[in-house]
Amino acid sequence: QVRLVESGGGLVQPGGSLRLSCRASGNIFAINNMSWHRQAPGKERELIAFITSGGSTNYAESVKGRFTISRDNANDILYLQMKHLKPEDTAVYYCNADLADYTSSADYWGQGTQVTVSS
């Protein structure tokens, strides 16, 4: 059974930094594109960072220049380095992976990790 598990969320002051991790586990054959999304209270979930299997990245304008997405393909881990955090970054952050096990491919989501930016 494939699972994505996020970690690294928490409470941070404005201007601070956090690094989120998302570890994929289970019967994985290959991981294609991976991404980070977030959902703030009362808002829809939004895509904020995307990385291909080859390492090409793309970012939402709201996080460009402050967040960096990366991946460790050897260990099936996705990262999101967040700097210069703002109160409006407060949200539940989810990782997503388009991956294949040995029978099929599908889209998988983690359970989410809370990030709160507040003084």
Side-chain angles (χ1 to χ4, degrees):
Q1 182 179 359
V2 174
R3 292 183 64 200
L4 298 181
V5 178
E6 298 102 336
S7 61
L11 173 64
V12 62
Q13 292 188 341
S17 299
L18 280 176
R19 189 177 80 156
L20 305 183
S21 300
C22 172
R23 180 181 293 272
S25 63
N27 199 27
I28 298 170
F29 174 71
I31 303 179
N32 301 314
N33 301 327
M34 304 183 80
S35 55
W36 286 99
H37 303 245
R38 69 185 181 187
Q39 187 167 19
K43 295 188 177 181
E44 294 190 354
R45 190 174 299 189
E46 61 170 339
L47 170 64
I48 57 169
F50 180 93
I51 186 167
T52 67
S53 57
S56 297
T57 60
N58 204 357
Y59 298 92
E61 285 299 320
S62 58
V63 306
K64 195 174 291 185
R66 299 187 298 122
F67 292 9
T68 302
I69 188 171
S70 61
R71 59 193 286 173
D72 176 353
N73 289 330
N75 294 293
D76 295 336
I77 303 174
L78 177 69
Y79 297 104
L80 185 68
Q81 178 68 51
M82 305 186 293
K83 298 181 179 179
H84 307 299
L85 283 160
K86 305 175 182 180
E88 51 263 44
D89 295 318
T90 295
V92 179
Y93 284 69
Y94 299 89
C95 65
N96 174 271
D98 170 20
L99 65 83
D101 59 22
Y102 288 87
T103 60
S104 64
S105 63
D107 226 26
Y108 290 86
W109 291 90
Q111 82 288 352
T113 186
Q114 176 71 46
V115 172
T116 302
V117 184
S118 175
S119 55

